[in-house]
Amino acid sequence: ETGVTQTPRHLVMGMTNKKSLKCEQHLGHNAMYWYKQSAKKPLELMFVYSLEERVENNSVPSRFSPECPNSSHLFLHLHTLQPEDSALYLCASSQEFGYEQYFGPGTRLTVT
Amino acid sequence: QKEVEQNSGPLSVPEGAIASLNCTYSDRGSQSFFWYRQYSGKSPELIMSIYSNGDKEDGRFTAQLNKASQYVSLLIRDSQPSDSATYLCAHARGRRALTFGSGTRLQVQP
């Protein structure tokens, strides 16, 4: 499935680094999402964008900063992360809210 | 009460048997329902969506929805070892992101 792509697939970063995760959807969808999935834990919705406008922010620490320059691209900027932020970060998109969401392959993030 | 409840499992079934996965939800206004499959270390993959009461079949998969009882189930016929994964139930109400359950881990024994 190449409808939603994410880069990089794996990332190791120190707590003082700044890095960005990128997501691109080729499905013509209007809504995009960032999720966090820690080991053996359920999906945690982080941010929701609809037509480049952030519509939901689920009490995510400010060290995570999303950016949606257009309806096809979504970024997650990371800075001064903590080891507990190590997780699988998933991007998803959907035609509209309430419709099927399609996930990218995820970025496996390790904070050392 | 969680919005979406799933038994975490593992649910163990022998190869060739029917696997039955269940999900209950608390929001009576939920309008659309989805089943995702997630292999270990991979991202969730959509396998079924259902919007109306009753059954919906797609190959070996059948989704069943009962809005009055607020449950949705997924049946997997002729289970294969390759079906071993975590199955996530999700629902949506209006203009909101999907709400996911914690998932049920299925193990199909050869």
Side-chain angles (χ1 to χ4, degrees), chain A residues 33 35 37 42-43 45 48 50 88 90 96-105 108, chain B residues 32 34 36 38 41-44 46 49 51 88 92 94-98 100-102:
Chain A
Y33 314 81
Y35 287 87
Q37 190 174 40
L43 289 168
L45 180 63
V48 181
S50 174
L88 181 66
L90 293 160
E96 300 287 351
F97 292 135
Y99 284 68
E100 296 92 341
Q101 288 180 194
Y102 294 90
F103 286 84
R108 174 69 62 186
Chain B
S32 46
F34 309 91
Y36 287 80
Q38 186 174 23
K42 303 295 185 181
S43 62
L46 179 69
S49 56
Y51 303 94
L88 305 173
R95 293 183 55 77
R96 294 176 60 186
L98 300 188
F100 285 84
S102 301

Side-chain angles (χ1 to χ4, degrees), chain A residues 36-54:
Chain A
K36 174 185 177 183
Q37 190 174 40
S38 303
K40 301 191 186 302
K41 289 188 176 180
L43 289 168
E44 298 175 46
L45 180 63
M46 300 176 73
F47 301 104
V48 181
Y49 277 83
S50 174
L51 296 172
E52 302 109 63
E53 179 183 353
R54 189 191 311 180

